[in-house]
Amino acid sequence: QVQLVESGGGLVQAGGSLRLSCAASGHTFSSPAMGWFRQAPGKDREFVAAINRSGGYTYYADSVKGRFTISRDNAKNTVYLQMNSLKPEDTAVYYCAADALSQHFRRGLADYWGQGTQVTVSS
């Protein structure tokens, strides 16, 4: 089992920045790839970003490419999502996820999910 706890959400004006954190605990070695998803009201959950075990491979949804950066600190078992140039359409609950392979995130799949953190961007 892997437990994921997100933090860092909040209310920010358009154009602002936020950094989300996700602390992992438990058998993290079994699901080393980490990712972020989001779900806006009335919409399906969508993939945002993913990072592999070493941090050497990352990929992003087109909607956030160039504005968001995913990173990880393996010593702290923590993954981050730096969000810059935020837009009102970025408003959603953001979820951290863990899986054995980062490629699974492209299909919306993950072994483990966090409880989510709300991000609200005002215009």
Side-chain angles (χ1 to χ4, degrees):
Q1 292 289 324
V2 174
Q3 294 77 43
L4 304 172
V5 179
E6 302 98 333
S7 61
L11 174 64
V12 64
Q13 288 188 330
S17 298
L18 279 176
R19 189 177 81 154
L20 304 183
S21 299
C22 174
S25 60
H27 297 160
T28 57
F29 59 87
S30 66
S31 298
M34 302 292 290
W36 289 96
F37 290 75
R38 66 186 182 186
Q39 187 168 20
K43 295 187 177 181
D44 292 334
R45 185 169 56 197
E46 64 174 359
F47 166 76
V48 174
I51 188 167
N52 70 343
R53 179 201 302 262
S54 68
Y57 177 69
T58 60
Y59 63 96
Y60 301 88
D62 288 342
S63 58
V64 306
K65 203 172 294 183
R67 300 188 298 121
F68 291 12
T69 302
I70 189 171
S71 62
R72 67 189 298 163
D73 183 337
N74 287 338
K76 296 181 179 179
N77 281 338
T78 300
V79 64
Y80 305 97
L81 185 67
Q82 178 67 44
M83 305 185 295
N84 298 330
S85 302
L86 282 161
K87 305 175 182 179
E89 50 263 44
D90 294 318
T91 295
V93 177
Y94 283 71
Y95 296 91
C96 178
D99 196 90
L101 296 173
S102 60
Q103 292 89 327
H104 289 171
F105 296 138
R106 293 184 186 271
R107 293 183 284 158
L109 302 175
D111 291 333
Y112 301 99
W113 297 90
Q115 82 289 350
T117 185
Q118 177 71 46
V119 171
T120 302
V121 184
S122 63
S123 57

